[in-house]
Amino acid sequence: MTANYPVPSSSCEVCYEIKKSRFIAFATFADTRESAMQRLAEVKQKYPDARHHCWAYQFGNPKSAASAAMSDDGEPSGTAGKPILNVLQHKNVGDIMIIVTRYFGGVKLGAGGLVRAYSAAAQMAMEALKTEQQVARELLELSCGFGDEQLVRHWLSQHDGVVENIEYRDQVVMTIALPLEHSALFRAYAASIGGQIINDN
């Protein structure tokens, strides 16, 4: 079960310029380190000639993040990743990553200038970002007859449920992620078709 909190509903990209340096901030959904590193690889591919790709992420409920990390990617220590993470920690958004790509313009900004620039770029990205409420879901394992699989799938499609995994044994065993608000309704439906919820407490 997961608590409700806002997450990015789409990605966004903004550009902040100061003293000829360009800071391109990209905010996106990421809920695992693997997905975050994949987003980073995509940005590096998009801007292969940029000097720095600095980033920060936080996963899970923003009030008590399950995991958070950052990188200065060659900028002076504490001038890039930390300011980006600070912006994230002051916004009530979870499962998020911000990558700020920098093109150096020839004028040094100094440590304080870099902190302000990375903070400003991350702040702009957060202001442009669209979010949606993450729906609290419950994972259930249902065992049912082969003839009932399509009926169950149809019911789930009408109640925002998702089949996460399926195994064909002597019966069909489906792992289902279902919004908590439909949990009791689904239990009644499963019983009505002779299905059994295996992992029910």
Side-chain angles (χ1 to χ4, degrees):
M1 272 181 229
T2 47
N4 284 17
Y5 53 87
V7 298
S9 59
S10 57
S11 301
C12 74
E13 189 174 279
V14 297
C15 185
Y16 174 71
E17 290 193 36
I18 182 167
K19 293 184 180 174
K20 298 182 180 174
S21 270
R22 277 199 308 145
F23 295 83
I24 303 162
F26 176 72
T28 189
F29 176 89
D31 59 355
T32 62
R33 184 166 175 87
E34 290 71 28
S35 62
M37 292 304 101
Q38 178 62 35
R39 298 288 88 78
L40 180 61
E42 288 164 8
V43 168
K44 284 182 173 180
Q45 203 171 3
K46 187 175 178 183
Y47 301 109
D49 54 338
R51 273 277 187 94
H52 307 281
H53 300 280
C54 308
W55 55 266
Y57 64 62
Q58 65 178 9
F59 305 149
N61 192 325
K63 290 184 175 64
S64 55
S67 178
M70 61 192 176
S71 167
D72 292 316
D73 191 34
E75 292 281 33
S77 180
T79 62
K82 193 163 177 43
I84 298 168
L85 186 60
N86 279 345
V87 169
L88 285 185
Q89 288 172 336
H90 286 91
K91 304 288 180 186
N92 186 33
V93 180
D95 297 329
I96 182 169
M97 182 181 199
I98 292 183
I99 303 159
V100 181
T101 297
R102 181 190 180 195
Y103 281 94
F104 182 53
V107 180
K108 293 204 169 183
L109 300 179
L114 284 172
V115 169
R116 286 190 294 275
Y118 279 103
S119 296
Q123 186 75 33
M124 281 172 66
M126 289 304 295
E127 284 166 8
L129 184 69
K130 289 182 169 57
T131 62
E132 62 188 3
Q133 198 67 9
Q134 188 226 42
V135 178
R137 290 177 181 271
E138 183 173 18
L139 273 182
L140 296 169
E141 264 196 329
L142 172 74
S143 173
C144 65
F146 291 96
D148 296 322
E149 181 188 339
Q150 288 311 315
L151 292 173
V152 172
R153 284 183 181 275
H154 180 67
W155 192 96
L156 291 171
S157 72
Q158 294 180 314
H159 296 84
D160 196 25
V162 180
V163 178
E164 299 265 326
N165 188 42
I166 190 159
E167 289 180 34
Y168 298 99
R169 306 176 191 167
D170 49 342
Q171 283 207 303
V172 180
V173 178
M174 306 168 85
T175 304
I176 291 159
L178 187 69
L180 285 178
E181 60 180 332
H182 299 317
S183 186
L185 206 56
F186 182 72
R187 282 174 165 76
Y189 174 75
S192 76
I193 61 167
Q196 186 185 1
I197 293 171
I198 304 167
N199 63 337
D200 228 351
N201 299 323

